[in-house]
Structures are given as structure tokens and as C-alpha cells.
Amino acid sequence: MRNDQRALVLAGGGITGIAWELGMIAGLAELGVDLSAADLVIGTSAGSVAGAQLRSCTPIDRLYAEQLREVRGEAPAHPGRRTLLRRALIGITPGTRTKTRRRIGRAALATRTVPESDRRTVIESRLPERTWPQQPFKVTAVDAATGEFVVFDNDSGVPLVDAVGASCAVPMVWPPVTIRGRRYIDGAVRSWANADLAEGYDRVVVLAPFTAVLRRGGRVQSQLDGLGPQVRKAVIVPDANTRRAMGSNPFDPAFRSDAAKAGRSQARLVRDTVAVAWGEPPR
């Protein structure tokens, strides 16, 4: 009987990130490494969508197949250079991390985007089920007004669609999400992965669509280091071939299918690394 507690961390990365994560999970399952058996799934931004899908009753092969179908009802977002520069300048302005998140939140609240109701319809279409799973699942977000980091789960009393929508509300790209009179933005504003939520778990696997999470001294790496040396950990990011397949714009659904296929293919290359961290025998 297994005693180790295992956490799967799904990081942010746009619509192509969702596809890559699901492709990776499907590919690993075919190779005998079942990440869906996680005792806890932590989802941030794109990872909240992939996590909600994984925690649904839908088999992983069907979730993967869905990523290969023509995308309907999702318009690509093309953040302009001014938006990206503004985000960067806000991020490097001196102040505490909470103050920085608050500044980003104010910018998000002031930016004109698509109507919140339209975006909610898109999020609903991504979820096979609209109710929280019984298995532990945490979704991250940030209060746009206060900069406070928030974690939603089955005990929060917040609809799953709203929690996932909040986690996916990329500042100045998509509208903040209203929950109980508060407005929330992307959990990735705090951290791409929020891997520190896996504290107390013995084995942790992180799937991160952006290679920047591996930057030495970065926040995600610091979070993983903080889990302790006794924790078996693996961080998987797209390789060069996968990055090309995913394209340069993570918000462009035209690359969803290629991203999913690339994730499934890359699974063969990382299978043993993930297996060791997950407690499965190597090939």
C-alpha cells in the first residue's frame, strides 16, 4: 500500500499550455505513469483548466482527443507591445510583492477587454463538469484590488467556473472575474506555478509550459527548494521541438493541436524522470 502523498502542479501557459499539459499527461499515462492519481492537483491559470479537466470523470485519452479537434468559440488574443511593456514596468517597480500585484490589479481593472460574461462562456466551454471534484483540487488567483493571494477549492463556496475563470484572467488581456463583489486576476501574477501549495507532500511533479520557471533563483525554484530536500521533485518544461510546435503566442488556439501532440511525444523523453519523482519504476 502506498504511503507517499503525491501532488501534481500545473502551471500557467495559455491555451497552448493547457494542450501541452494534457498531451504530456496522456503520453505519460500510456507509458505507465498515471499523474491523474495525484492526491492533490494545484492549478494556476492554464493549469487550472487542465486540472479541472483532469479531475473530471472524463478519461485522459478523451481529454487529449478533444485538444486535437477544431477550436470553436475561442478568439485568439494578441497582447500588443505596449501591453507587454506596461506589465514589465509594473513588475519591476520597487515595492513588496503584494504591492506589485496590487499595481498589476489596478492596471487590469482599468484595461478595456472583452465583456466578462463572454469570457465566462469560454471558460464554461472548457470544463467537462461544472461542479468541484471530490478529489483535492486547488485553484489560485489574486485579488485585483488588494493584491492578496487567494486559493479556491471545494470548501470555498465559489463555483468552479468562476474560480477557474479568475485564475485564467490574464491582466490586461482578459477581464478580471467578479466573485462575491470582489474582482480577481490570474494566479500566475503571484507565481507561474504556486508550487509551495504542495507543502507536506512527499512527491511533487510540476508541468510548466514556460521554460522560465527553471530560472536559477526564480520564485518557482525557490518554492520547490522550500518544500525540503526529502521531497522527490520533477519539473518538466517544453523542449526545443515542443516550443516550436507551440508557437510564439500562447493565446492563439490555432496551435492547440500541435501543442497537445508535442506534449504527448515529449512524454517519452521525460518518462523516467517523472517516474522516479512519482514513485513509479523506471523502464
Side-chain angles (χ1 to χ4, degrees):
M1 182 175 178
R2 181 182 298 280
N3 294 317
D4 290 344
Q5 291 290 295
R6 301 182 292 184
L8 174 63
V9 180
L10 300 174
I15 192 170
T16 57
I18 298 169
W20 175 78
E21 289 173 342
L22 290 173
M24 176 65 67
I25 294 168
L28 288 169
E30 293 171 350
L31 298 169
V33 181
D34 183 12
L35 295 184
S36 70
D39 298 288
L40 170 67
V41 174
I42 300 163
T44 293
S45 198
S48 71
V49 176
Q53 293 193 19
L54 188 64
R55 281 306 207 201
S56 72
C57 295
T58 308
I60 185 58
D61 56 341
R62 285 179 55 190
L63 294 174
Y64 172 74
E66 183 64 31
Q67 298 301 305
L68 306 184
R69 297 195 177 112
E70 181 182 355
V71 182
R72 298 182 183 276
E74 295 224 25
H78 298 282
R81 290 185 178 180
R82 289 184 62 183
T83 297
L84 297 176
L85 178 60
R86 189 180 180 195
R87 272 284 302 272
L89 290 174
I90 293 173
I92 64 175
T93 303
T96 65
R97 289 175 177 173
T98 300
K99 287 183 178 178
T100 298
R101 295 196 295 266
R102 192 157 57 236
R103 285 193 292 265
I104 294 173
R106 283 200 299 265
L109 291 169
T111 301
R112 191 172 183 177
T113 63
V114 300
E116 188 177 338
S117 58
D118 289 359
R119 182 63 178 162
R120 193 179 197 278
T121 298
V122 170
I123 298 299
E124 282 184 327
S125 71
R126 293 177 176 179
L127 305 184
E129 298 172 11
R130 309 292 165 78
T131 57
W132 283 92
Q134 293 303 309
Q135 298 169 298
F137 176 44
K138 296 184 182 297
V139 174
T140 68
V142 168
D143 188 305
T146 66
E148 177 188 3
F149 179 58
V150 179
V151 180
F152 298 115
D153 60 20
N154 193 25
D155 296 323
S156 300
V158 172
L160 179 63
V161 173
D162 292 337
V164 172
S167 193
C168 292
V170 181
M172 294 172 274
V173 175
W174 305 120
V177 170
T178 304
I179 300 175
R180 297 172 178 165
R182 309 292 302 177
R183 306 292 300 283
Y184 294 91
I185 56 175
D186 194 340
V189 171
R190 191 247 186 181
S191 164
W192 282 111
N194 294 298
D196 53 327
L197 295 180
E199 182 178 6
Y201 286 77
D202 305 290
R203 298 179 179 275
V204 179
V205 170
V206 180
L207 300 186
F210 290 141
T211 57
V213 301
L214 288 182
R215 185 175 65 249
R216 185 179 294 276
R219 191 168 306 170
V220 174
Q221 188 59 56
S222 297
Q223 291 171 350
L224 289 171
D225 291 343
L227 297 179
Q230 77 285 356
V231 177
R232 302 302 296 266
K233 303 177 278 281
V235 182
I236 306 301
V237 299
D239 58 16
N241 290 331
T242 300
R243 290 196 299 272
R244 284 192 289 271
M246 294 173 75
S248 59
N249 181 4
F251 306 115
D252 190 344
F255 291 91
R256 185 178 78 166
S257 176
D258 288 343
K261 292 175 183 177
R264 183 181 181 188
S265 178
Q266 188 186 351
R268 295 195 299 270
L269 304 178
V270 302
R271 189 268 180 202
D272 284 354
T273 298
V274 176
V276 169
W278 207 239
E280 300 291 348
R283 285 177 293 191

